[in-house]
Amino acid sequence: MNHLHRKDGRLFLEEASLEDLARRYGTPLYVYSLAALNDAYQAYERALAGLPHLICYAVKANSSLAILQHFARLGAGFDIVSGGELARVLAAGGSADKVVFSGVGKTAAEMRMALEAGIRCFNVESESELERLNRVAGELGKRAPVSFRVNPDVDPKTHPYISTGLKQNKFGVPIGRAHGLYRRAAEMPHVEVHGVDCHIGSQLTDLSPVADALDRVLALVDSLASAGIRLRHVDIGGGVGIRYQDETPPDMALYREILRSRFKGRMEEVIVEPGRSLVGEAGVLLTRVEYIKRGEGKNFVIVDAAMNDLMRPALYDAFHEIVPVVESETASLECDVVGPVCETGDFIGLGRRLAVVEGGLLAVLAAGAYGMSMSSNYNSRPRAAEVVVNKNEIFLIRERETVEELMAGERLVS
Ligand code: LLP
């Protein structure tokens, strides 16, 4: 992580001492660096320079309002997958005409909301969805801008739960059937064909499946053009993978080359929907050690963050580096770093070697993406607070949830 560094053995994010932040706001606490968000965004701007493009930040990666506000200020659009995400984008100052709407299960109410807001494009994932969208748009006297999300059947070589472009996955329409669907859409009174979309998976560290998928999509663009259906944009889906452990993230110069060689002079616009790579390395999760439990053959460092705060290790067996916030002379311990939730799957990291003490602080790295946004209230745990750092400025962007808030909408039976 770029803007994370040590001063006299103490960890800082930009100019903020993580020890001070934990003391001031409590733990578990998510902390994000604005400079890191800017760097990540600029890497995409550079990769796409010279091509007409729109970077649509994938809201699901981190949907906190201040994060969305920051990307909106940088000029980003947004990739949303629900009415809730659209509401967040609008509340954060994002413009609807830069929003693309993905997802296999859009409800009629969500379609209405998006049509009324005037979003840029619906990424349609099935024939039934197309029919529904045509009907809903008709009821509102509008024409819905559409792309089909095509499933190119390529293996993205990532975790099976986050692979989306294989024919056994629920996403998109089979690329072989796309032609017929475009013809059908072109005849509909209340949809207007704008583009094509393809997202093959997340945490991609190898770009060759991306290049393969794009070739297949561009072959479709050509064959549609010869049938008189001209597409304005290609949406290439999510962004590149990041470094959690020993992965080598894709070379952005190669990424740029793959895009330029395929799109230069070809489309009116290229859309990308990066999530993880825009926020992942900008965020850390701070957690305090409650207990150190020395077991038989196994030591447990029990921390105050749990699977409800950061679900990735439990759900995908994901690795996040864990480091002490303050370096100490304490002897290091071979341990599992676990949370208080009553599940064996509740771990933040297994088989680590850490110099820790009870009451000490740990930082879980590269936790900015799919951390807070996937958090839950399991075990009736209020969700963490969030802080943004901009050089030496600190902003509390989300207060720690309270137990009263957790129960607020509930009623006892009479
Ligand atoms: N566009 C679509 C349609 C997507 O489904 C996704 C991610 C993205 C863009 C953003 O992809 P990215 O740039 O982040 O790779 N919770 C999982 C990741 C789930 C990704 C789902 N879709 C994790 O924590 O690894």
Side-chain angles (χ1 to χ4, degrees):
M1 286 182 56
N2 259 341
H3 296 272
L4 193 70
H5 58 101
R6 282 198 191 271
K7 236 191 271 176
D8 302 326
R10 292 176 144 69
L11 213 49
F12 283 71
L13 189 60
E14 298 195 30
E15 295 169 30
S17 149
L18 294 183
E19 198 184 14
D20 289 351
L21 291 182
R23 205 174 297 126
R24 187 157 152 200
Y25 299 105
T27 50
L29 179 71
Y30 276 100
V31 187
Y32 311 105
S33 151
L34 278 198
L37 296 180
N38 293 340
D39 290 353
Y41 189 78
Q42 291 316 324
Y44 279 94
E45 281 293 3
R46 280 195 301 277
L48 290 155
L51 294 173
H53 65 271
L54 181 63
I55 300 170
C56 288
Y57 166 62
V59 172
K60 64 172 83 70
N62 186 320
S63 48
S64 298
L65 291 178
I67 301 290
L68 303 181
Q69 173 195 33
H70 189 68
F71 284 123
R73 284 178 174 168
L74 292 176
F78 297 92
D79 166 53
I80 60 162
V81 290
S82 70
E85 287 191 349
L86 177 55
R88 282 186 168 275
V89 166
L90 300 177
S95 29
D97 64 0
K98 291 185 181 173
V99 167
V100 295
F101 193 170
S102 305
V104 293
K106 301 175 194 77
T107 66
E110 287 174 323
M111 289 174 173
R112 255 188 297 280
M113 181 181 170
L115 285 163
E116 274 162 1
I119 68 163
R120 191 182 207 88
C121 200
F122 288 85
N123 290 335
V124 172
E125 303 217 19
S126 64
E127 186 163 4
S128 301
E129 183 189 333
L130 179 71
E131 303 284 346
R132 178 183 281 179
L133 185 58
N134 182 51
R135 179 175 53 74
V136 172
E139 286 161 9
L140 295 176
K142 293 189 187 284
R143 282 191 92 181
V146 299
S147 284
F148 282 101
R149 174 171 177 178
V150 295
N151 184 328
D153 194 25
V154 297
D155 183 354
K157 302 184 196 136
T158 182
H159 190 285
Y161 287 9
I162 51 177
S163 289
T164 53
L166 284 165
K167 61 173 181 264
Q168 63 265 34
N169 302 135
K170 69 180 175 183
F171 297 99
V173 297
I175 197 159
R177 284 205 218 136
H179 226 280
L181 286 171
Y182 274 101
R183 272 203 304 275
R184 171 94 189 91
E187 289 161 1
M188 287 182 163
H190 300 294
V191 301
E192 188 173 304
V193 171
H194 278 219
V196 62
D197 166 45
C198 169
H199 169 76
I200 59 170
S202 193
Q203 184 54 8
L204 307 178
T205 49
D206 177 0
L207 291 178
S208 49
V210 176
D212 271 6
L214 293 184
D215 289 337
R216 290 178 199 198
V217 167
L218 284 170
L220 172 67
V221 170
D222 289 342
S223 94
L224 287 169
S226 39
I229 300 175
R230 218 185 68 75
L231 303 185
R232 298 181 209 169
H233 75 245
V234 174
D235 178 339
I236 68 170
V240 297
I242 64 171
R243 188 166 190 280
Y244 288 104
Q245 186 174 14
D246 49 12
E247 304 91 335
T248 312
D251 173 8
M252 287 306 269
L254 176 62
Y255 183 72
R256 173 181 160 89
E257 196 36 48
I258 287 174
L259 300 185
R260 279 178 78 82
S261 58
R262 285 165 178 79
F263 292 118
K264 188 82 188 155
R266 277 201 73 169
M267 305 302 298
E268 282 173 39
E269 189 172 56
V270 179
I271 297 178
V272 275
E273 306 170 349
R276 186 191 313 273
S277 47
L278 287 182
V279 288
E281 296 193 57
V284 297
L285 172 61
L286 298 183
T287 183
R288 204 171 279 284
V289 177
E290 294 286 346
Y291 302 103
I292 295 178
K293 181 165 158 177
R294 290 169 201 272
E296 280 181 9
K298 199 131 211 162
N299 300 309
F300 297 99
V301 170
I302 302 167
V303 295
D304 64 2
M307 63 190 286
N308 74 296
D309 300 298
L310 180 65
M311 220 220 269
R312 304 192 67 256
L315 193 57
Y316 316 110
D317 221 0
F319 181 96
H320 284 264
E321 196 176 340
I322 304 172
V323 296
V325 170
V326 181
E327 273 174 349
S328 71
E329 301 290 297
T330 322
S332 66
L333 186 72
E334 178 89 29
C335 58
D336 287 356
V337 179
V338 300
V341 162
C342 296
E343 299 228 16
T344 302
D346 176 32
F347 59 87
I348 307 286
L350 301 179
R352 305 301 172 89
R353 180 156 277 286
L354 283 171
V356 276
V357 289
E358 290 189 350
L361 274 175
L362 296 175
V364 184
L365 308 191
Y370 305 109
M372 188 69 196
S373 61
M374 291 178 73
S375 66
S376 78
N377 294 122
Y378 188 40
N379 278 207
S380 287
R381 290 170 49 85
R383 283 177 305 160
E386 291 178 295
V387 163
V388 154
V389 172
N390 183 22
K391 298 195 178 77
N392 60 359
E393 280 184 298
I394 312 291
F395 302 91
L396 177 66
I397 62 162
R398 184 196 298 261
E399 288 184 24
R400 185 171 303 287
E401 209 168 20
T402 63
V403 171
E404 291 67 39
E405 283 166 338
L406 295 193
M407 296 190 286
E410 298 186 40
R411 302 284 180 272
L412 297 173
V413 292
S414 51

